[in-house]
Amino acid sequence: MKQGKGIENPESRFSAVLLAAAKLPGVRINRETYLQSALARHCSEDDIRRAIEETPAAAGIPVEVLDKVANDSIRFETGKVSALSAAAGIPGVLALPATVPADVAQYFGHMVRIAQKLAYLYSWPDLFSDDGDDVDDATMGVLTLFFGVMFGTQSANAAVGKVAGMMSKEVAKKLPQKALTQGVVYPMVKKVAAYLGVQMTKQSFAKAVSKAIPLVGAVVSGGLTLATYLPMAKRLKKHLSSLPLAEPSHRVMDGEVVDGEVVEDHEAFATAHAVQHGADDTAIKLEEPEA
């Protein structure tokens, strides 16, 4: 996604925060190391090796096992982000200019962390393919869509399903670069980013209010983070686990997605396709909260 637009634009505002969060120390998850440790108590060495070399689905790991591991990761990240948010709320109103931007950054950083963990469990490829600080546009695009799913946008659900379908159809280990940066999915990435930019501003204000009173603000801030982060992580888990890409025995072979368009064959993406052609400018809306 291009970063050249003015920062007052909601899309650019969200993209700038996401990019900054993705560059924070400790945010990027090593796919091989994570799968090795996360699956160690549940799978054989052969299954783990195959999950790393190919995907957990190709290794035939049951979705029930992946769900259990995913829940463990969600609990870990939720506890960590909530504790940090509570700590940021201790100083009170005098420290707001310093604590609120830092809290938003660490919150988004932990969203990037759980998005990677869930993606790797449910057979998505490595989102950060190198050790440098740069984040390519395709990774920015897919993270934006993952965040959209977490915030409950229907169009993000459809777009993530479309991207997963492309990878499944092409039996590839890499993200479909063209679709995410200029092809059929790109218009949805931009719309979701704009929506999230608005939501991010609202959430930042809520966090600022929660931190206004020392100590009490710490409790409220940590609780607010827990109440928002946990259901969003669960929402992404539910969606990724439901995709055909996560089904056991879905083989993935070496290769890259061809940079060409794919014929529309998913009814679930009809809304996103309509938006691309200007037929529906109201596709992005919140889902009903999960129970």
Side-chain angles (χ1 to χ4, degrees), residues 5-157:
K5 296 183 179 179
I7 199 66
E8 292 305 315
N9 181 288
E11 176 192 341
S12 298
R13 186 186 307 122
F14 168 77
S15 296
V17 173
L18 175 58
L19 183 60
K23 291 183 176 182
L24 288 174
V27 164
R28 301 190 187 187
I29 304 297
N30 181 284
R31 178 181 174 274
E32 178 177 347
T33 301
Y34 171 67
L35 289 177
Q36 179 71 52
S37 62
L39 299 175
R41 292 183 298 170
H42 308 280
C43 305
S44 68
E45 284 298 322
D46 285 342
D47 285 343
I48 295 174
R49 176 186 53 76
R50 188 171 172 189
I52 292 171
E53 292 177 354
E54 299 182 54
T55 66
I61 299 175
V63 174
E64 293 78 13
V65 171
L66 298 178
D67 286 346
K68 185 180 187 308
V69 175
N71 287 334
D72 290 342
S73 292
I74 289 174
R75 281 193 294 270
F76 175 80
E77 295 296 336
T78 300
K80 192 174 178 182
V81 72
S82 299
L84 288 172
S85 183
I90 291 175
V93 68
L94 295 179
L96 282 180
T99 59
V100 173
D103 192 21
V104 172
Q106 69 90 12
Y107 186 89
F108 271 61
H110 279 83
M111 287 180 68
V112 175
R113 281 178 58 87
I114 195 60
Q116 291 171 87
K117 289 183 176 183
L118 295 176
Y120 300 154
L121 285 174
Y122 295 115
S123 295
W124 286 68
D126 201 333
L127 301 185
F128 297 98
S129 57
D130 56 55
D131 296 326
D133 288 335
D134 291 338
V135 183
D136 67 34
D137 288 347
T139 294
M140 283 289 289
V142 81
L143 285 174
T144 296
L145 295 178
F146 283 172
F147 275 42
V149 172
M150 295 171 87
F151 272 85
T153 61
Q154 296 283 7
S155 52
N157 284 359

Side-chain angles (χ1 to χ4, degrees), residues 85-280:
S85 183
I90 291 175
V93 68
L94 295 179
L96 282 180
T99 59
V100 173
D103 192 21
V104 172
Q106 69 90 12
Y107 186 89
F108 271 61
H110 279 83
M111 287 180 68
V112 175
R113 281 178 58 87
I114 195 60
Q116 291 171 87
K117 289 183 176 183
L118 295 176
Y120 300 154
L121 285 174
Y122 295 115
S123 295
W124 286 68
D126 201 333
L127 301 185
F128 297 98
S129 57
D130 56 55
D131 296 326
D133 288 335
D134 291 338
V135 183
D136 67 34
D137 288 347
T139 294
M140 283 289 289
V142 81
L143 285 174
T144 296
L145 295 178
F146 283 172
F147 275 42
V149 172
M150 295 171 87
F151 272 85
T153 61
Q154 296 283 7
S155 52
N157 284 359
V160 167
K162 181 65 176 179
V163 175
M166 289 177 178
M167 292 191 298
S168 176
K169 189 172 184 177
E170 299 290 344
V171 288
K173 286 185 177 180
K174 293 188 177 182
L175 296 173
Q177 297 279 332
K178 185 174 181 179
L180 283 163
T181 58
Q182 56 182 290
V184 294
V185 180
Y186 184 58
M188 296 313 304
V189 173
K190 290 175 66 64
K191 285 184 175 290
V192 171
Y195 171 81
L196 292 176
V198 174
Q199 296 303 309
M200 181 184 69
T201 301
K202 293 178 181 178
Q203 191 175 72
S204 297
F205 177 76
K207 284 181 174 292
V209 171
S210 75
K211 290 182 173 64
I213 304 175
L215 297 182
V216 175
V219 176
V220 175
S221 180
L224 178 62
T225 296
L226 175 63
T228 56
Y229 186 93
L230 181 60
M232 287 197 296
K234 287 185 175 181
R235 190 177 288 129
L236 180 60
K237 167 186 170 288
K238 180 180 179 181
H239 188 56
L240 294 183
S241 66
S242 71
L243 298 173
L245 196 63
E247 294 177 1
S249 299
H250 182 91
R251 294 300 303 271
V252 176
M253 299 182 294
D254 290 328
E256 299 183 11
V257 172
V258 177
D259 273 341
E261 302 296 352
V262 178
V263 176
E264 298 289 339
D265 58 359
H266 295 276
E267 292 182 4
F269 196 70
T271 301
H273 187 69
V275 170
Q276 182 194 351
H277 288 80
D280 183 2

